[in-house]
Amino acid sequence: MKEILSPIEAQKIVLLSQRVFPGKLKGTSLANTLASIEHLGYLQIDTISVIQRAHHHTLWNRNPEYQLSDIDTLIETKQVFEYWSHAAAYLPIRDFKYSLPRKHAILKNEQSHWFQKDAKLMDAILKRIDKEGPLMAKDFAHTAKVGEWESKPAKQALENLFMQGDLMISSRKNFHKVYDLTERVLPDNIDAKCPTAQEHIRFLITSYLRANGIGQAGEVAYLLKNTKALVTAVLKEMYANKELQEVHVSGQLYYSLPNALSLLSKPMNSQLKILSPFDNLLIQRKRMQHLFNFDYKIECYTPAVKRKYGYFSLPILWDGKLVARMDCKADKKSTTLHIHHLFFEENFSFNESFKADFIKEIEAFKSFNNCSGVEVHKTTPSSLLNTIKSIF
């Protein structure tokens, strides 16, 4: 049976599946952080630090007790590892074997990454790490930068060894990767047998639908090379076997796990959330356009004169809807959270209920970013500037 969902019903399933509103959590911060990563399947790593980095921000939204040290602890205790999802990511160590298809493809030159391989240099680096232990790129003497990405030859060799599976990231120091032999990083009890193509695709499908509620083939295969055709075929096979359900939203076909529709009977918190541009909920922009009618583009890569919202605008989720965007920066010296531009979506009416929730979340967000004060510079519409300023 094909289910037809209204946009509001689809949005509720997506938001509850994403666990953006965590409610009251039990257990330690570390345990809840691990649970979040395992549920989401991956956590995108990003280097932009005008506020707390995206991986911290995404976890903090799902775990109010989140500690910045949680990720390092989970890496050190070998419960999480770094590799590539659709982008650089933290992944649950339990899912390690599903990173192997990409690694094997890169090793066999069936897939390429950013850099050309220098086999001689890669071999020398591998031998040195084997002998000396974990090393960073700066531990190698190469100084000249080469190639489109202008990185040192040793850094390129390290990344190639990492991408093809010879090395893993054992830790980070000041956000710089520390590389070690995979055999020394990977726990002995982890399954390291490469899955079949069918097993890999089924994993991708079930992981995606668990975390996102509903999905299409192109979303499951997002930025994963050479997977979409097989994802499409396996989705149809799983549906035929009654492992999945078909749902229609605004004329488009999606798939869900059989229990996804039960989320419609659960209450949903109307809490306000300030989201990272790289939050798992938002990362696929076309999906957000269709399901939430939210046209979102991060503008840090856009020339300043062409920006509409700001360098690093953060979507604001309230009452189940994306109602605003906030471009801000945490000034470490003055411990001030600068809201450079607070942009409200068309047809959104600022009201006292939103105001109360906004104040509450800004206070938490300010503390999360180690700030003590807030300064508002611009709003759209501009008529709200004095109202917003008066809050702080």
Side-chain angles (χ1 to χ4, degrees):
M1 182 177 68
K2 296 180 181 178
E3 294 282 346
I4 297 177
L5 298 178
S6 70
I8 291 177
E9 288 174 326
Q11 290 163 13
K12 182 176 183 179
I13 289 173
V14 170
L15 292 173
L16 289 178
S17 295
Q18 273 286 306
R19 297 184 180 176
V20 178
F21 309 113
K24 188 174 182 179
L25 299 175
K26 298 179 180 179
T28 65
S29 169
L30 191 65
N32 288 322
T33 295
L34 177 60
S36 290
I37 297 173
E38 290 182 338
H39 176 75
L40 293 171
Y42 75 90
L43 186 71
Q44 182 169 334
I45 303 169
D46 194 73
T47 58
I48 296 174
S49 57
V50 291
I51 58 168
Q52 294 289 6
R53 288 190 170 98
H55 42 281
H56 295 309
H57 188 174
T58 298
L59 286 170
W60 174 75
N61 266 328
R62 290 162 176 81
N63 174 14
E65 302 301 319
Y66 175 72
Q67 303 295 311
L68 298 181
S69 60
D70 283 356
I71 287 287
D72 290 338
T73 301
L74 290 173
I75 291 286
E76 290 166 6
T77 56
K78 303 183 178 183
Q79 297 178 81
V80 165
F81 74 106
E82 283 193 40
Y83 194 60
W84 204 259
S85 177
H86 70 277
Y90 294 111
L91 304 161
I93 198 71
R94 69 176 190 188
D95 298 337
F96 175 81
K97 72 176 184 179
Y98 297 105
S99 70
L100 295 175
R102 184 193 293 267
K103 291 174 179 175
H104 290 181
I106 292 174
L107 179 63
K108 297 174 183 177
N109 295 316
E110 296 169 355
Q111 281 189 35
S112 60
H113 194 53
W114 307 120
F115 306 124
Q116 292 291 321
K117 292 184 178 181
D118 182 335
K120 185 176 180 181
L121 179 58
M122 288 166 65
D123 183 61
I125 285 176
L126 203 58
K127 288 178 179 176
R128 184 173 164 190
I129 291 176
D130 183 24
K131 180 179 179 181
E132 298 181 26
L135 295 172
M136 294 184 286
K138 69 177 185 178
D139 294 319
F140 296 87
H142 298 280
T143 55
K145 294 184 177 182
V146 297
E148 180 183 357
W149 294 89
E150 295 187 344
S151 58
K152 297 177 182 179
K155 174 63 175 178
Q156 295 190 10
L158 284 164
E159 281 298 292
N160 280 324
L161 289 164
F162 167 66
M163 289 303 298
Q164 71 183 31
D166 294 298
L167 298 178
M168 289 182 70
I169 308 303
S170 60
S171 64
R172 281 183 182 249
K173 294 182 179 178
N174 297 321
F175 208 60
H176 295 289
K177 296 177 181 176
V178 180
Y179 300 85
D180 199 2
L181 301 181
T182 292
E183 62 200 58
R184 292 201 292 236
V185 177
L186 190 66
D188 293 336
N189 63 338
I190 295 301
D191 185 356
K193 181 181 178 182
C194 188
T196 65
Q198 183 84 358
E199 289 171 338
H200 184 218
I201 296 301
R202 288 178 69 90
F203 166 78
L204 293 177
I205 290 170
T206 55
S207 296
Y208 185 87
L209 295 180
R210 177 189 68 230
N212 293 280
I214 62 175
Q216 300 175 319
E219 295 168 351
V220 175
Y222 178 65
L223 296 183
L224 301 176
K225 294 179 181 179
N226 308 320
T227 59
K228 187 175 179 180
L230 191 50
V231 166
T232 300
V234 175
L235 280 169
K236 292 178 180 178
E237 176 187 309
M238 293 177 72
Y239 171 68
N241 293 337
K242 298 183 179 179
E243 298 173 81
L244 300 178
Q245 187 163 348
E246 288 185 349
V247 297
H248 286 259
V249 183
S250 301
Q252 290 196 25
L253 172 65
Y254 289 83
Y255 291 91
S256 71
L257 295 172
N259 63 347
L261 297 187
S262 66
L263 293 172
L264 292 173
S265 63
K266 294 188 176 182
M268 186 172 71
N269 194 325
S270 62
Q271 182 181 355
L272 187 145
K273 285 288 185 178
I274 300 165
L275 301 173
S276 165
F278 301 105
D279 191 287
N280 295 51
L281 171 67
L282 294 161
I283 199 61
Q284 295 196 37
R285 313 305 192 199
K286 289 182 179 180
R287 173 180 167 89
M288 296 308 295
Q289 172 75 65
H290 182 251
L291 291 175
F292 287 80
N293 193 30
F294 188 67
D295 185 9
Y296 180 64
K297 177 185 177 182
I298 187 171
E299 295 181 317
C300 55
Y301 309 113
T302 301
V305 294
K306 295 183 179 181
R307 292 175 192 151
K308 181 178 179 180
Y309 306 110
Y311 177 81
F312 203 63
S313 65
L314 313 176
I316 294 179
L317 178 69
W318 182 68
D319 197 24
K321 302 176 184 65
L322 290 155
V323 299
R325 312 164 197 235
M326 184 176 72
D327 178 46
C328 58
K329 180 178 181 178
D331 187 320
K332 295 178 182 178
K333 289 184 178 179
S334 66
T335 67
T336 300
L337 179 68
H338 289 277
I339 299 177
H340 293 298
H341 188 192
L342 180 59
F343 179 98
F344 290 95
E345 299 299 302
E346 189 177 355
N347 299 323
F348 176 71
S349 297
F350 186 88
N351 56 52
E352 290 301 312
S353 181
F354 174 87
K355 178 180 175 181
D357 289 347
F358 183 65
I359 292 171
K360 181 179 179 181
E361 190 63 11
I362 283 289
E363 284 299 311
F365 189 69
K366 182 178 69 175
S367 297
F368 173 59
N369 283 280
N370 300 314
C371 290
S372 57
V374 178
E375 188 171 335
V376 184
H377 300 272
K378 177 183 177 182
T379 64
T380 299
S382 58
S383 58
L384 285 173
L385 180 59
N386 290 334
T387 300
I388 300 297
K389 276 190 170 185
S390 69
I391 292 174
F392 306 107

